[in-house]
Amino acid sequence: MIKTAIKTKAYAANGSGQELKSFEVQRREPGPSDILIDIKFCGVCHSDLHQVHNEWGISNFPMVPGHEITGIITKIGERVTRFKPGDRVGVGCMVDSCKECKSCKDGLEQYCEKRMVLTYNDIELDGKTPTYGGYSERITVHERFVVRIPDDMPLDKAAPLLCAGITTYSPLMHWKAGPGKAVAVVGLGGLGHMAVKLANAMGASVTAISRSANKKTDAIAMGAKEYLATSDSSAIEKAQERFDLIINTVSSAADMNTYLGMLKRDGVMVLVGAPSEALPVHPFSLIPKRRSLAGSTIGGMRETQEMLDFCGKHLIAADIELIPIDKINEAYKRLLKGDVRYRFVIDIASLK
Ligand code: NAP
Ligand code: ZN
């Protein structure tokens, strides 16, 4: 099925914690159900940083990160029906799954019972071909894992929706954020700022929780009704038993008990942030108020399209800082310090 390969410029890390450098990957010519996409923009997710630094212990090198991809279709396979060349599209964190199990049939490919194939740092279902991500000129993807970008949404600001957007939209929907619900978002980075915008558009009353007071004006502009800086211990006290739902996007080890105490009776805190460390939970943070601690990963393809259409309708997109590819190593350093408002996006034209 793989005909000729297409030489593609990319940026890769050659080993754990190494700086990213110019690299070349091969993309397959589109098979019958494949789509070839000319990548225009790629967001920089904290997961890229975790994996380049091998913090989760699952990294393979050379690694071309990037799973917040937007671009234009240049070629389609003969069985592709939903898309045509010239369409504005996106690709997120996964590029394949078994497509047959109960989870895939339910539109929950991210929980595929065989396995989903991640956009990078993974192996295709053939068991041998490594996947390379969006810090590259183009990508070939099965049409099921391609979504449509709403007409009026700029491709650069849309890119972060493919991971940061869907990763927060999915738990907000699953745990029914909406009118009458008090939702808190912990961590105001790429995921957090999207969670604030989405939960507000869903009609929930949103509180942004950040470490300092620095992001207050921005958070209110994004739709937060309240802002809480955890550097202020009196603010934490006032927030006890206040929220129905907390979306926790924290990327490094933090005390979960502090946030669990902010849940009402029957409240749920959902971890989407994925630090490599264990996060100790005190039983009495959960027991007395029948609280739950949950987790969630990205979202299925149907829901990803639904999220994009929701964002199109509510005029929501990411707040971004556009960078050329040769600024990526500097961007990683800044991301580690929490110094980004609120997502770096690579202009892939700078790679060509
Ligand atoms: P990001 O832009 O770096 O934002 C993370 C935010 O977490 C920071 O801006 C900071 O917010 C807060 N934070 C970091 N360390 C903290 C600490 N020790 N205590 C309290 N707050 C802290 O990262 P991101 O791209 O949004 O990703 C966030 C996490 O989600 C990462 O771990 C990433 O791997 C994970 N992720 C998971 C999924 C999934 O499917 N579940 C998908 C994508 C990403 P303030 O400066 O506002 O305090
Ligand atoms: Zn991501």
Side-chain angles (χ1 to χ4, degrees):
M1 204 163 68
I2 296 175
K3 299 173 215 159
T4 45
I6 310 165
K7 275 190 192 174
T8 297
K9 284 186 198 161
Y11 246 56
N14 278 311
S16 174
Q18 289 192 16
E19 294 219 319
L20 278 77
K21 290 191 189 124
S22 182
F23 184 67
E24 189 178 279
V25 297
Q26 307 291 330
R27 298 300 191 187
R28 64 180 185 270
E29 277 288 346
S33 301
D34 282 339
I35 289 180
L36 181 63
I37 299 163
D38 182 25
I39 301 178
K40 298 292 184 197
F41 299 100
C42 185
V44 178
C45 179
H46 207 112
S47 300
D48 300 350
L49 194 69
H50 287 312
Q51 292 179 90
V52 164
H53 289 260
N54 196 16
E55 288 172 27
W56 297 334
I58 55 159
S59 295
N60 298 297
F61 297 97
M63 181 191 297
V64 177
H67 58 206
E68 293 186 336
I69 298 167
T70 54
I72 309 279
I73 295 182
T74 50
K75 208 168 178 183
I76 57 169
E78 64 264 24
R79 267 195 249 133
V80 172
T81 53
R82 294 191 300 126
F83 297 97
K84 59 178 190 322
D87 284 357
R88 293 156 25 97
V89 291
V91 175
C93 300
M94 54 184 168
V95 288
D96 212 350
S97 70
C98 87
K99 308 180 214 54
E100 285 163 4
C101 71
K102 171 93 170 63
S103 293
C104 285
K105 289 210 166 108
D106 288 346
L108 296 168
E109 298 91 342
Q110 77 275 32
Y111 303 115
C112 174
E113 285 147 40
K114 191 170 177 198
R115 67 179 175 96
M116 67 167 149
V117 177
L118 296 169
T119 304
Y120 71 88
N121 191 27
D122 207 350
I123 301 287
E124 298 274 10
L125 291 178
D126 66 6
K128 57 179 190 215
T129 310
T131 59
Y132 295 113
Y135 299 4
S136 61
E137 291 178 289
R138 60 180 78 80
I139 190 167
T140 310
V141 183
H142 188 286
E143 72 164 323
R144 178 168 177 150
F145 297 87
V146 176
V147 284
R148 196 172 294 283
I149 306 299
D151 286 342
D152 296 329
M153 191 184 286
L155 288 180
D156 53 355
K157 294 183 173 64
L161 302 180
L162 277 303
C163 172
I166 185 59
T167 301
T168 50
Y169 180 88
S170 186
L172 285 168
M173 291 299 284
H174 185 77
W175 278 280
K176 304 191 167 42
K181 289 283 178 77
V183 174
V185 175
V186 185
L188 224 60
L191 267 59
H193 95 289
M194 285 312 310
V196 169
K197 292 184 184 205
L198 290 165
N200 177 56
M202 288 171 189
S205 172
V206 185
T207 299
I209 303 179
S210 186
R211 288 169 293 184
S212 71
N214 297 343
K215 299 175 182 173
K216 181 169 180 177
T217 313
D218 291 348
I220 302 295
M222 288 168 201
K225 294 249 164 10
E226 276 187 75
Y227 184 94
L228 210 154
T230 50
S231 52
D232 172 3
S233 56
S234 71
I236 297 179
E237 258 162 56
K238 270 190 269 163
Q240 294 302 296
E241 297 173 34
R242 286 268 315 278
F243 305 112
D244 299 292
L245 177 62
I246 299 177
I247 304 292
N248 189 320
T249 76
V250 171
S251 56
S252 66
D255 182 10
M256 293 299 119
N257 302 289
T258 306
Y259 306 117
L260 286 168
M262 298 177 186
L263 289 172
K264 290 181 187 169
R265 190 199 74 221
D266 292 329
V268 182
M269 178 158 85
V270 186
L271 295 186
V272 287
S276 51
E277 300 89 345
L279 301 169
V281 171
H282 198 290
F284 291 109
S285 296
L286 296 171
I287 291 170
K289 297 277 167 195
R290 198 163 59 186
R291 294 168 173 137
S292 304
L293 178 61
S296 180
T297 195
I298 51 174
M301 296 318 301
R302 201 159 60 212
E303 193 172 45
T304 304
Q305 188 63 63
E306 179 189 299
M307 175 275 308
L308 285 166
D309 296 343
F310 178 89
C311 288
K313 186 171 151 206
H314 291 271
L315 304 177
I316 293 172
D319 292 5
I320 65 163
E321 191 173 329
L322 199 61
I323 56 162
I325 190 79
D326 62 6
K327 290 274 185 261
I328 187 64
N329 295 304
E330 195 181 316
Y332 276 18
K333 288 188 190 120
R334 286 183 50 199
L335 191 58
L336 208 50
K337 288 190 285 185
D339 174 22
V340 53
R341 299 203 176 195
Y342 280 84
R343 196 58 135 188
F344 290 114
V345 171
I346 304 165
D347 183 351
I348 297 296
S350 62
L351 184 64
K352 297 189 177 177

